[in-house]
C-alpha cells in the first residue's frame, strides 16, 4: 500500500515508517519538522514538508501523493504544555486533524489509522481499562485527541471514512536506528537513562503517596515496535473503531527505576518530588480487543527488553539526533522555536 504518514519524523511515526518500508509498503511523509527530527526520517520515504494547520498544504500534498491510506501521528503531546496553552493543542491536534480528513475526502482516501491515547480516559473508574471505559479527559491534550476521534466518527457516518483509533498507553523503547528524543524530555524512561549516562545527577520521582503498593504511579509500558506492528495490522484489516494498545501489566515508577539500575549498572540516585498535576494513580490497558480483532500480541514489551533497547539507543545517541548533524542541543532548541 501507499501510506501517507503525518509526523513521520517523530518517535512513533519514524519507527512505524521503518516497519512499513521493511514490509514493502510505500511511504509519503507529511511533516512540518517542528518537533520531529530530519535524521529520523527513513531515507526510503518521500518527505513533503508542510503544516496540518494550513488546509491548502495538506490538501495539495494528499492530492499529489494519491495514497491508499493515512496514518496520523503528527500532534503536540505534552500534557503540561497543554495545560498552559490549550489553544496550541486544539488548533494543531483537532483543527489540523479536520484539515487532514477534509483532504482525504477531497482525494477519495477512506482509511485512517489515528494515534490516540489513554489520556482520553482521564482518571478511570477501574483498571484494566477497556475501550468502553468512559472517556473523560483531564487535560487539553487528552481532550484534543478525543475531539478528533469524534470528528472521525462523524466523517465515518457522513463521508464513509474508515477510522481506527489506537489508544496508546506508555510508548517506550527504541529500534537500533530510531529512539526517543524530545525537547524538553518529560518521560520517565529517557529521564532515568539520562542519569545513567551522567547527563543528570538524579531522577525526580513525582509523588510517593499514590494508592499503589509502593506509593508511586503505575503505568503500562509498550514497546514502539509493538505499537508500529499494531498500526500495520489496523491498516491492512477491515475493522474500524478503538483499540487499546498496552500489555495489561503495570509497573510503578520505582520498579522502572530498578530495571534501569539493573540494565545499566548505574546506581540512579532519586529525588522525591511532589506529585505532577494530572497524573492518575494507575493506567493499565485491557488489550483484549486488539488481540481478538486485530490479532495483535505484544512481542517486545517485556520491561527489561524495553529498557535494554532504549539504553542501547541512548548510548549510541547520547545527545539524541543532534549528534548526527553535529548540532548542539541548544542550536536544536533554537530551531524548534522558529
Ligand atoms: N515520572 C517521574 N519522573 C520523571 C518522569 C515521569 O516520576 O522524570 C512519572 C510520572 O509522574 C508518571 C510516570 O513516571 O507517574 C510515567 O510518566 P511519563 O511522563 O513517562 O508518561 P505518562 O504516563 O505521563 O504519559
Amino acid at each position: 500500500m501507499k501510506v501517507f504518514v503525518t509526523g513521520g519524523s517523530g518517535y512513533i511515526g519514524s519507527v512505524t515508517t521503518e516497519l512499513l518500508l521493511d514490509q514493502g509498503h510505500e511511504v509519503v511523509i507529511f511533516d512540518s519538522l517542528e518537533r520531529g527530527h530530519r535524521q529520523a526520517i527513513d531515507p526510503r520515504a518521500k518527505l513533503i514538508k508542510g503544516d496540518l494547520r494550513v488546509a491548502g498544504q495538506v490538501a495539495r500534498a494528499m492530492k499529489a501523493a494519491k495514497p491508499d491510506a493515512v496514518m496520523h501521528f503528527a500532534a503536540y503531546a505534552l500534557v503540561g504544555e497543554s495545560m498552559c496553552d490549550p489553544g496550541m493543542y486544539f488548533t494543531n491536534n483537532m483543527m489540523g486533524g479536520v484539515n487532514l480528513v477534509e483532504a482525504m475526502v477531497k482525494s477519495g482516501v477512506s482509511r485512517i489509522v489515528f494515534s490516540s491515547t489513554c489520556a482520553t480516559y482521564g482518571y478511570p473508574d477501574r483498571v484494566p481499562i477497556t475501550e468502553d471505559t468512559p472517556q473523560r479527559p483531564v487535560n487539553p491534550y487528552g481532550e484534543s485527541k478525543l475531539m478528533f476521534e469524534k470528528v472521525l466518527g462523524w466523517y465515518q457516518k457522513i463521508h464513509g471514512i474508515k477510522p481506527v483509533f489506537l489508544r496508546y498507553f506508555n510508548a517506550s523503547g527504541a529500534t537500533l536506528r530510531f529512539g526517543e528524543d524530545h525537547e524538553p524530555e518529560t518521560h520517565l524512561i529517557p529521564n532515568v537513562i539520562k542519569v545513567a549516562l551522567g547527563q543528570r545527577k538524579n531522577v525526580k520521582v513525582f509523588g510517593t503517596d499514590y494508592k499503589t503498593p509502593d506509593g508511586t504511579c503505575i503505568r503500562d509500558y509498550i514497546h514502539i515496535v509493538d505499537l508500529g506492528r499494531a498500526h500495520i495490522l489496523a491498516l491492512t484489516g477491515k475493522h474500524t473503531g478503538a483499540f487499546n494498545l498496552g500489555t495489561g501489566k503495570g509497573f510503578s515508577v520505582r520498579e522502572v527505576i530498578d530495571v534501569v539500575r539493573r540494565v545499566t549498572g548505574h546506581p540512579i540516585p532519586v529525588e522525591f518530588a511532589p506529585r505532577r498535576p494530572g497524573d492518575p494513580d494507575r493506567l493499565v490497558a485491557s488489550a483484549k480487543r486488539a488481540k481478538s480483532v486485530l490479532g495483535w500480541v505484544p512481542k517486545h514489551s517485556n520491561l527489561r527488553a524495553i529498557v535494554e533497547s532504549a539504553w542501547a539507543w541512548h548510548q549510541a545517541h547520547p545527545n539524541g539526533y543532534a549528534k548526527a548533524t553535529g548540532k548542539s542541543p541548544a542550536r536544536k532548541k533554537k530551531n524548534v522555536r522558529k
Side-chain angles (χ1 to χ4, degrees), residues 170 186-188 191 204-206 217 219 221 253 276 279:
N170 286 59
T186 60
H187 294 112
L188 179 62
N191 278 349
K204 286 197 168 112
V205 173
F206 298 131
C217 288
R219 295 289 179 274
Y221 295 87
V253 172
R276 196 172 66 174
D279 273 344

Side-chain angles (χ1 to χ4, degrees), residues 68-280:
D68 301 303
V70 171
M71 283 190 185
H72 179 32
F73 298 93
Y76 291 142
L78 298 176
V79 167
E81 181 181 60
S82 81
M83 293 292 280
C84 298
D85 194 344
M88 265 177 82
Y89 278 72
F90 295 124
T91 309
N92 198 28
N93 297 2
M94 207 280 288
M95 286 161 61
V98 174
N99 292 337
L100 176 68
V101 69
E102 277 290 324
M104 290 173 64
V105 171
K106 284 197 188 93
S107 290
V109 181
S110 59
R111 188 71 164 165
I112 177 167
V113 181
F114 169 51
S115 302
S116 190
T117 167
C118 65
T120 59
Y121 296 114
Y123 300 115
D125 297 334
R126 60 194 143 79
V127 289
I129 300 170
T130 63
E131 290 79 0
D132 307 323
T133 301
Q135 289 175 289
R136 293 184 296 242
V138 292
N139 51 61
Y141 165 63
E143 189 74 65
S144 67
K145 290 281 183 175
L146 176 57
M147 283 169 144
F148 192 55
E149 282 193 6
K150 290 185 176 169
V151 166
L152 286 174
W154 285 108
Y155 276 75
Q156 180 171 15
K157 286 194 182 82
I158 296 164
H159 288 298
I161 291 292
K162 299 188 183 74
V164 175
F165 320 131
L166 299 180
R167 296 183 188 145
Y168 309 161
F169 281 64
N170 286 59
S172 47
T175 66
L176 291 175
R177 296 169 65 196
F178 303 122
E180 191 163 13
D181 180 8
H182 298 118
E183 182 58 43
E185 188 53 78
T186 60
H187 294 112
L188 179 62
I189 293 176
N191 278 349
V192 187
I193 284 178
K194 281 175 198 284
V195 181
L197 285 172
Q199 296 176 354
R200 293 192 183 177
K201 68 178 192 329
N202 61 31
V203 64
K204 286 197 168 112
V205 173
F206 298 131
T208 52
D209 58 350
Y210 286 95
K211 285 195 205 102
T212 59
D214 70 16
T216 64
C217 288
I218 291 180
R219 295 289 179 274
D220 185 341
Y221 295 87
I222 182 83
H223 197 293
I224 45 169
V225 169
D226 284 328
L227 290 183
R229 290 174 49 244
H231 282 77
I232 296 175
L233 291 169
L235 177 80
T236 48
K238 293 204 169 8
H239 296 278
T240 58
F243 297 93
N244 286 339
L245 299 181
T247 63
K249 209 168 173 285
F251 292 92
S252 73
V253 172
R254 288 183 209 259
E255 286 172 325
V256 171
I257 295 171
D258 274 343
V259 172
V260 181
R261 281 192 187 109
R262 285 203 290 280
V263 167
T264 63
H266 192 282
I268 317 281
V270 300
E271 179 187 328
F272 296 111
R275 287 182 174 207
R276 196 172 66 174
D279 273 344

